[in-house]
Amino acid sequence: MDGSQVAVGRDPIRERLIRLAVYRWWRRRIVGRIDHEAVVARIVEDSGWSPRYAFMTMMSAGIAVLGLLLSSPAVVIGAMLISPLMNPILGFGFSLALFDFAEMRRSVLALAIGAVAAIIFTALIVSLSPLQAPTAEIVARTRPNLFDLGVALFAALAGSFAIIRGRGETIVGVAIATALMPPLAVVGYGIATWNLPVAGGAFALFATNFITIALAATAMARYYGFGHHLSSRQSWTQTIVLILVFALMAVPLALSLNRIAREALTVSQVRSLLTERFGGDARITQLEVEFDREPNVVRAVVITPRGQMQKTGDLQRSIRTALGRPVRIDIDQILLDPGAGALDAQREELRQASDQTNAEAQRMTALARMVALITGVAADDVTIDRDHRRATAAAVALPGASLASYRALEARAAAETDGWSIAIVPPVGPLPEIAFADNVDTLDASARAAVLTSAWAARRWNVPALTVPGLPAGDPPAQPNLAQRRARAVAALLATQGVAAEAAPAAGQTFALSIGNAR
């Protein structure tokens, strides 16, 4: 190094002075303007449980679940105006900042009581409601995503700022309730309808939002100078417990963020691959990946020149290879002639979308009419599930029709559809008789058909088990007799159809199955 070069290194004294200046500015301009004792007293006063708090939480939950069932965002938002959930949530967040174990217990107890009361009340409303079909508002609260976390984070920061500065607590309380009350209502809906995936997904959203709000409130409280010196005297054990609580709460949030990041990366990979395959002249107007389906479903609408049209099978193989897991794609390609401009592309997109919608509606109508004709019900009584391509109808009692007749009608309807699953629910009646030849313990073609028809009827009636005459209870005997061998043959065939078998007294040459006790 020659004399003209000057070595530039760190100046520890200068850095220390800068840190000291920043600290003094923070203490004087940020912390010094806050009445910490008054804020803590207000939080402690409002964050505990009271009968009024439980009542207002239940009323808010009731309005929220009705808005979800009606798919009315306005009603859902209206429910938030009376929700008191902000107080225990912020009380919990501030207790972590203050290392106040007693306040944390009070806040958690209040939140738990409110959450349980809201879930039970909403489950009761849903069980009594004639509307129980999942709406778009309900489905939207069954899976945490980045936008949900953003709502919870910004609501927590605004709520903490408002309660510290004493401005607009009610308004930001609405934002916090928006992140928490609808998921709680959906948990009650899932329990009432025995839809555990919906209930579990909504509870995961509630837990993720709760953790986000609590940790954000803790960070905001620490920023404004709320520390352990403001809390009552406590032991080192309590302090360690609070630190562990903070760390444990961060784990599920980190897992949720990791899953959200992986899903966002998957969507980005799919978009990049489609752009690469279709070229720069193509435009991807819609892209959605359904991660809760197995395999994952990729839905997209691509506007592309006619010469760059891609085969669906090739696209599916490419996406499967890029992601490293099975996928199913549903891509609509809107093809443009050479020289078509942006306006023409929009017109073509609207025309093809309209044609596809009309064609799909016509197919749904024709399918409903066909199933209605077979089952003897009105077309409006046929349930069409477009996502799972399944049509279901409860057949009326036809004179002289047996269960085998209804099963044959279902098979005929399925044969006349393309890729659709048809489920005809027959009227509840006696199951077909199963006949064995003399001294024979195997099922011939007729007996096998009778067992399969019984299993089919049990599945349509949602009956998990059938009673099999002659089937021994407990461990099978070492030397079973003829009736027991016959019963075991019937039970084995039922098992292949997903229907359990229950023991019953032995029968003769001919017997019929009956509905078991397992429900």
Side-chain angles (χ1 to χ4, degrees):
M1 178 181 297
D2 56 30
S4 62
Q5 292 178 318
V6 179
V8 179
R10 296 177 56 185
D11 187 345
I13 298 178
R14 182 172 179 271
E15 292 179 356
R16 184 178 179 182
L17 291 175
I18 292 175
R19 288 198 298 267
L20 183 60
V22 171
Y23 176 78
R24 288 177 176 175
W25 174 86
W26 172 71
R27 293 291 302 179
R28 182 177 65 255
R29 301 296 299 273
I30 304 297
V31 178
R33 296 183 177 185
I34 305 300
D35 188 350
H36 295 82
E37 287 76 11
V39 173
V40 171
R42 183 168 46 181
I43 291 176
V44 172
E45 180 183 358
D46 296 336
S47 61
W49 177 87
S50 67
R52 176 188 176 277
Y53 163 79
F55 177 78
M56 295 301 290
T57 300
M58 292 170 61
M59 295 304 99
S60 175
I63 298 174
V65 76
L66 292 178
L68 294 171
L69 291 173
L70 294 172
S71 194
S72 173
V75 176
V76 175
I77 295 174
M80 306 304 102
L81 294 173
I82 61 174
S83 173
L85 287 179
M86 181 185 77
N87 296 326
I89 293 286
L90 293 186
F92 181 78
F94 274 70
S95 69
L96 288 176
L98 296 169
F99 290 153
D100 190 340
F101 197 73
E103 173 60 19
M104 187 186 73
R105 284 200 305 261
R106 292 179 67 253
S107 302
V108 170
L109 177 63
L111 181 65
I113 292 176
V116 171
I119 292 173
I120 294 175
F121 190 60
T122 53
L124 178 62
I125 292 176
V126 173
S127 62
L128 298 177
S129 170
L131 300 176
Q132 294 187 353
T135 63
E137 290 293 319
I138 292 175
V139 174
R141 270 85 180 188
T142 58
R143 189 176 184 85
N145 57 50
L146 193 59
F147 296 102
D148 296 317
L149 284 178
V151 170
L153 176 62
F154 297 147
L157 296 177
S160 303
F161 177 83
I163 200 168
I164 291 172
R165 303 302 296 267
R167 300 171 183 174
E169 295 94 332
T170 301
I171 301 302
V172 296
V174 174
I176 289 179
T178 302
L180 296 176
M181 186 56 75
L184 280 179
V186 175
V187 173
Y189 166 85
I191 293 175
T193 57
W194 292 100
N195 194 330
L196 296 184
V198 167
F203 186 79
L205 175 59
F206 167 78
T208 300
N209 287 353
F210 159 68
I211 294 173
T212 302
I213 293 172
L215 296 184
T218 301
M220 183 66 78
R222 297 293 294 183
Y223 174 73
Y224 277 97
F226 289 84
H228 62 86
H229 59 279
L230 296 174
S231 61
S232 58
R233 185 178 180 182
Q234 62 182 21
S235 66
W236 276 105
T237 302
Q238 292 176 332
T239 301
I240 294 173
V241 169
L242 285 172
I243 295 175
L244 290 177
V245 169
F246 189 95
L248 290 176
M249 288 176 60
V251 172
L253 182 59
L255 294 176
S256 181
L257 286 173
N258 180 59
R259 181 188 59 78
I260 292 173
R262 286 189 285 106
E263 292 181 357
L265 178 61
T266 297
V267 174
S268 177
Q269 288 178 317
V270 172
R271 182 178 293 277
S272 299
L273 190 143
L274 292 178
T275 301
E276 178 184 348
R277 292 296 300 267
F278 283 98
D281 296 333
R283 182 158 59 94
I284 303 172
T285 60
Q286 298 179 24
L287 177 60
E288 177 186 1
V289 182
E290 299 182 6
F291 294 98
D292 55 348
R293 302 281 293 276
E294 188 60 39
N296 297 158
V297 179
V298 176
R299 302 184 188 276
V301 176
V302 182
I303 302 175
T304 181
R306 189 175 299 275
Q308 295 176 325
M309 181 183 66
Q310 301 290 322
K311 293 182 179 180
T312 302
D314 294 340
L315 289 175
Q316 181 163 300
R317 283 189 291 271
S318 298
I319 294 175
R320 183 189 302 122
T321 301
L323 300 181
R325 61 178 181 271
V327 294
R328 181 170 64 86
I329 66 172
D330 184 3
I331 294 183
D332 294 330
Q333 300 183 47
I334 299 177
L335 306 179
L336 300 179
D337 293 325
L343 181 60
D344 294 334
Q346 294 179 2
R347 290 174 177 173
E348 182 69 12
E349 178 181 0
L350 291 175
R351 184 189 67 78
Q352 292 196 21
S354 177
D355 292 344
Q356 291 172 358
T357 301
N358 293 335
E360 186 70 12
Q362 292 176 359
R363 287 195 295 269
M364 298 300 99
T365 301
L367 177 63
R369 288 177 178 174
M370 186 267 290
V371 176
L373 180 63
I374 291 176
T375 56
V377 300
D380 293 339
D381 294 330
V382 179
T383 302
I384 302 294
D385 185 351
R386 294 180 57 182
D387 290 338
H388 298 88
R389 299 181 67 82
R390 180 181 178 89
T392 306
V396 299
L398 302 176
S402 63
L403 290 177
S405 303
Y406 292 107
R407 186 184 175 203
L409 288 174
E410 181 183 278
R412 190 183 73 180
E416 296 179 3
T417 60
D418 182 17
W420 278 75
S421 173
I422 307 298
I424 294 179
V425 181
V428 177
L431 298 176
E433 292 185 343
I434 304 171
F436 287 87
D438 292 339
N439 298 320
V440 173
D441 58 6
T442 57
L443 297 166
D444 58 16
S446 177
R448 183 180 179 84
V451 175
L452 293 177
T453 298
S454 299
W456 169 84
R459 294 197 304 273
R460 294 295 177 267
W461 295 335
N462 291 324
V463 174
L466 295 177
T467 299
V468 180
L471 186 66
D475 296 332
Q479 297 294 330
N481 56 35
L482 179 61
Q484 292 170 341
R485 294 197 302 272
R486 289 173 172 175
R488 289 170 60 179
V490 172
L493 184 55
L494 289 175
T496 63
Q497 304 300 308
V499 179
E502 293 186 351
Q509 293 287 111
T510 302
F511 64 89
L513 306 178
S514 60
I515 296 176
N517 296 321
R519 294 285 180 180

